[in-house]
Amino acid sequence: LNATTLLLLLIATQCRAFTTDDGRRPKTRRSGTARYIATVSGTQTISIDISEDAQRDLDRLHEWSYNCGIEQADFQLAGQEIDGHLDVSSTAASYTPAGSPVLYVPQEVILSATSAREEFGHLEAVENLLQSNGNGEYIPHFYLMLKILVELERGTESPYYSYLNSLPRYFSNGVAMTLFCYTCLPPLVAKLCKQERTLFNTLSVAPSLLVPWLSDEVKGDEKMWRFAYQIVQTRGMHTPSGDYCIPPMADYMNHGSVDHNVELAFDGYGNCLATTTADVPAGCELKLNYGEHGPSLFLSRYGFLDDGSPSTFCKLIPRKVTEEME
């Protein structure tokens, strides 16, 4: 057997807990996932509070994920306050051996750039603009941002209302920093933070004017665009098929460079499965590996320092810069 065949067999074995016996497309024990996503609405539209101090509603998130057909094993979301803001992580409620499927997210629930492009249509002017200024690789990010914005504007009428209302509003990465913050950082991380801010402006300012059906209120609401950008950049992930997406609930798993114990896989139908790669004792956090980016990029994009970093940031301003130092 070659490596590809072994990988497919492994994924098929891991998915068994969430698949039908005849091997057809995975179905959950709660029918009508797509129908639920398509028809949930409220009696009135209430905008989601995206201010930094807004309270995150995790109780309704659990109910929402259950109704959407998201399957999760024995793990729970645990929250703790850090600097006055709630930080949430996924924790194993009981001992979970390696190779155990812990989360299954149906394709219909996943927020993806490809689905957003199919929903909104080909925005040729936006794509041409991003291609021309050298940011063509971020076209999927823009479509996913647009999806977040549309669902925000729908308020309680959005089928993603409970999910969006559970997400963080406070960020400490490069886009959230002030110009003064940049002067307090070491040169490399300051440069990366500025690049994040530039990318945010690139994906929001001019492109927003090229979406004809977007309301004027949304086009001019920098806070909404900033929130959408933050969610897409900090919770989005690439798939083997080339899509860029956010699988709800899987995005609640934090990063671990040396102690990650979960990996994600996407089957041929676009469903997402999270499986443990090591034995996880009860009470321990379930962690993914976001990639080998280095501490400077982690801080600029995600707003945290990687625990696996062997050094600590410091900034030394010499009295005189020599040619050797340059």
Side-chain angles (χ1 to χ4, degrees):
L1 295 177
N2 58 34
T4 301
T5 303
L6 287 173
L7 177 60
L8 292 175
L9 288 174
L10 177 60
I11 292 176
T13 301
Q14 292 171 341
C15 289
R16 192 166 298 156
F18 297 127
T19 57
T20 56
D21 293 336
D22 59 5
R24 292 177 300 170
R25 184 172 183 172
K27 295 181 183 294
T28 65
R29 64 176 180 271
R30 299 173 297 280
S31 62
T33 299
R35 184 166 60 253
Y36 178 83
I37 285 293
T39 60
V40 170
S41 65
T43 56
Q44 59 178 341
T45 300
I46 302 175
S47 61
I48 297 173
D49 185 359
I50 58 174
S51 61
E52 287 189 349
D53 297 324
Q55 185 175 356
R56 301 173 63 178
D57 190 347
L58 298 180
D59 292 334
R60 292 189 179 183
L61 173 66
H62 289 292
E63 179 183 0
W64 174 84
S65 65
Y66 182 90
N67 290 332
C68 287
I70 295 177
E71 299 275 355
Q72 65 183 66
D74 196 14
F75 79 85
Q76 59 192 12
L77 298 181
Q80 62 173 331
E81 282 202 5
I82 300 178
D83 297 330
H85 299 278
L86 184 65
D87 182 67
V88 182
S89 59
S90 300
T91 304
S94 61
Y95 169 77
T96 306
S100 300
V102 293
L103 181 69
Y104 166 79
V105 187
Q107 180 272 333
E108 295 89 347
V109 186
I110 297 174
L111 293 158
S112 80
T114 298
S115 297
R117 192 174 188 268
E118 292 175 355
E119 178 182 351
F120 304 136
H122 176 203
L123 298 172
E124 184 176 1
V126 174
E127 293 190 18
N128 289 340
L129 173 65
L130 294 178
Q131 290 283 7
S132 65
N133 59 28
N135 289 285
E137 64 183 296
Y138 294 104
I139 291 175
H141 295 64
F142 175 81
Y143 279 105
L144 199 50
M145 286 173 61
L146 202 58
K147 176 62 175 176
I148 298 294
L149 288 168
V150 168
E151 300 304 332
L152 280 177
E153 190 176 29
R154 289 173 177 168
T156 54
E157 293 184 356
S158 167
Y160 289 95
Y161 172 80
S162 296
Y163 168 70
L164 294 173
N165 204 31
S166 73
L167 296 177
R169 278 72 153 182
Y170 176 79
F171 297 90
S172 54
N173 54 11
V175 175
M177 294 181 185
T178 64
L179 296 178
F180 175 76
C181 292
Y182 299 152
T183 65
C184 303
L185 297 172
L188 176 58
V189 69
K191 177 182 178 180
L192 292 175
C193 286
K194 291 176 182 178
Q195 289 177 351
E196 280 291 322
R197 180 183 288 271
T198 299
L199 180 59
F200 162 65
N201 291 331
T202 300
L203 295 179
S204 60
V205 180
S208 66
L209 303 177
L210 299 177
V211 184
W213 46 262
L214 202 61
S215 69
D216 292 338
E217 289 77 10
V218 173
K219 287 181 179 180
D221 195 327
E222 182 185 358
K223 290 183 179 179
M224 286 184 66
W225 282 91
R226 187 185 299 272
F227 175 78
Y229 177 88
Q230 294 282 35
I231 296 304
V232 169
Q233 276 289 81
T234 61
R235 308 181 88 82
M237 58 190 71
H238 294 279
T239 69
S241 65
D243 200 357
Y244 190 74
C245 69
I246 302 176
M249 299 304 288
D251 62 331
Y252 269 93
M253 295 181 185
N254 289 327
H255 167 74
S257 58
V258 295
D259 59 344
H260 57 278
N261 48 27
V262 175
E263 65 180 5
L264 299 182
F266 293 84
D267 64 19
Y269 300 105
N271 305 302
C272 177
L273 178 74
T275 308
T276 55
T277 58
D279 295 341
V280 184
C284 286
E285 187 175 352
L286 298 172
K287 293 184 178 181
L288 298 169
N289 188 340
Y290 291 1
E292 304 301 326
H293 298 304
S296 296
L297 191 142
F298 274 119
L299 181 60
S300 63
R301 178 173 299 174
Y302 298 102
F304 64 80
L305 288 174
D306 185 4
D307 291 338
S309 175
S311 60
T312 303
F313 278 123
C314 63
K315 184 173 182 178
L316 175 65
I317 303 178
R319 294 182 178 179
K320 182 179 180 180
V321 178
T322 63
E323 292 184 2
E324 182 178 4
M325 293 174 67
E326 292 179 343

